[in-house]
Amino acid sequence: MVDTDSFPRADRVGRTDRTVGSRQLAAMLPDPAGTRPAYRHLAQAISALILDGRIALHVKLPAERELATALNTSRTTITAVYDLLRESGYAHSRQGSGTWTTLPEGRTPSGIRRLLGPQDTAIDLARAAPGLPEQTLTDALVQIAPQLAEHAHTPGYHPYGLPELRAAIAERFTRRGLATVPEQILVTSGAQHALTLVLGLLCRPGDRVMVENPSYPNALEAMRRARLRTVSVPVTDTGWDIEIVESALRQVVPQLAYLIPDFHNPTGCLMPEDERVRILRAAGRSGTWLVIDETLADLALDVPAPPPFASHATPGGTGQVITIGSMSKTHWGGLRIGWLRAPARLVTELAGQRVATDMGGSVVDQLLALALLARAGELLPSRLEQMRRQRAALAEALAEHIPQWTWQLPPGGLSLWVDLGAPVASALAERALDHGVRIESGAYFATDPGIFEQRLRIPYTTPSEALREAVHRMAATLAGGLTLSSTTRRPHWVA
């Protein structure tokens, strides 16, 4: 069954017609009958949804009577909920126009906190991004110094990207099996920037987009903020159900489909070649734009690195395929360099759109990227070997300390998608922080609320000893016992 609805739809601040439906909000809240005092648990759940971005800021909450009916509780309870939200700074009321969400002073949205490093000594397993060796960065900075001096005498604006970097990325695609010219390349400030530009140009609020479930959380958030309706197709431990994907493309006819076929984040699955061909054909019949995220394509640990997805298209059949990539996973997240490959005319339109936001990327970063890409053949093998060692250390530690957990060893990528055997991921993540481990529940990767609570994504991007210690601490957390939250005891909501 294909899910053709999404929740929530984010919007720009300042609109006065932004509302959260009572049934939509009720679907994400704990059962009032199972919690005491009910109003306090409901207020905590709503504030958590606001911090997590699942309920956007500056949107109108349902009327008290409507939400009470949807939750099958008393209006008095909902009145107390809204009073507590206002008191704690998560809501404010406008005379005659209802109650609206807001953010208390001093609180930081979860999406920002997840990108920040821990403020204490906690081992960070929330971010699947490797660091860059200090000497590699130093050598690259020395190498680009003369080139940077030459650029210092120019205005420095390159809305398409530095010409020599565009040429290097195009040559990289060609070498991997997809003939490409620089005019088909747009250099961006990371893959997320590339996706946001594409969504802004090709989609309109209310358009349907097909996404995998689970998927990359920041991509899902970009779609929510663009007010798009997500159509989710499952990715399991064994990969994609290609018939469901084809059915979604045929029946729903989405405007765009966002896929991570190479060492999928978070499952680690690699899409077979024949399935890529079938998706290309199905998308061609439906007229759907394919946005292929290849940020992990180079991180092939046990198999050869896959060729570009678009290389499987028939001659002339790549007109509606956009490939995005980045240096964040292969080199360093601090180097905000990404790119997209698309038809040259679309690249021109996207460059025109990006001028309204940043006018072009940093010349320093682009020169660094150029230097590192030129050394990829030298640098990447050692990075892959490091990931293999750390993956083995993580797997061995899990098997020793928490043998009841299960997972499929991925052929590439940066993380394990672990099955805990019970919906305790959020409770474990909360308690693990007390033991010095920062990790995210699998629910963070879900397209819909209430699912993947039995999963954890555990990256192996930190040193082996730190991974072993993190597993030891999580085992100690489990030994202390976990209490399921009210949201995990409640039957999961899947539309």
Side-chain angles (χ1 to χ4, degrees), residues 393-405:
L394 175 58
E396 291 168 4
L398 288 172
E400 177 183 355
H401 296 291
I402 319 178
Q404 67 270 31
W405 287 3

Side-chain angles (χ1 to χ4, degrees), residues 165-240:
L165 180 56
R166 295 178 76 197
I169 295 169
E171 194 276 332
R172 179 177 178 272
F173 273 108
T174 300
R175 189 171 63 251
R176 292 175 59 218
L178 180 62
T180 304
V181 295
E183 289 75 18
Q184 293 174 285
I185 300 298
L186 178 69
V187 179
T188 61
S189 299
Q192 185 72 13
H193 182 213
L195 176 62
T196 303
L197 288 172
V198 170
L199 295 178
L201 182 66
L202 297 182
C203 299
R204 295 293 177 265
D207 281 351
R208 287 181 170 138
V209 295
M210 189 181 78
V211 295
E212 299 149 326
N213 190 25
S215 187
Y216 179 53
N218 292 329
L220 297 175
E221 178 62 16
M223 294 169 194
R224 293 187 188 107
R225 291 184 177 273
R227 300 174 63 205
L228 304 176
R229 304 175 64 188
T230 54
V231 180
S232 60
V233 295
V235 181
T236 67
D237 288 331
T238 57
W240 294 257

Side-chain angles (χ1 to χ4, degrees), residues 324-349:
I324 61 178
S326 150
M327 302 191 70
S328 297
K329 304 299 186 183
T330 52
H331 291 80
W332 183 36
L335 187 64
R336 299 309 304 151
I337 293 296
W339 54 81
L340 62 83
R341 179 198 183 275
R345 187 173 68 176
L346 186 68
V347 166
T348 298
E349 295 180 29

Side-chain angles (χ1 to χ4, degrees), residues 214-291:
S215 187
Y216 179 53
N218 292 329
L220 297 175
E221 178 62 16
M223 294 169 194
R224 293 187 188 107
R225 291 184 177 273
R227 300 174 63 205
L228 304 176
R229 304 175 64 188
T230 54
V231 180
S232 60
V233 295
V235 181
T236 67
D237 288 331
T238 57
W240 294 257
D241 187 323
I242 196 63
E243 293 185 358
I244 291 180
V245 176
E246 290 175 321
S247 176
L249 290 169
R250 181 176 64 253
Q251 296 180 20
V252 181
V253 192
Q255 169 68 10
L256 179 147
Y258 171 76
L259 302 174
I260 312 173
D262 304 310
F263 316 119
H264 176 265
N265 185 8
T267 69
C269 293
L270 177 64
M271 184 181 289
E273 179 179 336
D274 64 313
E275 294 184 3
R276 298 173 186 235
V277 172
R278 290 174 64 176
I279 289 176
L280 283 162
R281 290 174 180 169
R285 289 191 294 267
S286 66
T288 298
W289 283 92
L290 290 178
V291 178

Side-chain angles (χ1 to χ4, degrees), residues 20 22 25 42 60-86 93 98-99:
V20 178
S22 58
L25 179 56
L42 289 170
K60 185 179 180 181
L61 291 170
E64 293 176 3
R65 190 185 306 276
E66 293 177 359
L67 186 56
T69 300
L71 286 170
N72 194 27
T73 190
S74 69
R75 183 175 177 180
T76 302
T77 297
I78 302 304
T79 298
V81 170
Y82 283 11
D83 285 343
L84 188 55
L85 288 172
R86 285 188 287 266
S93 296
T99 302

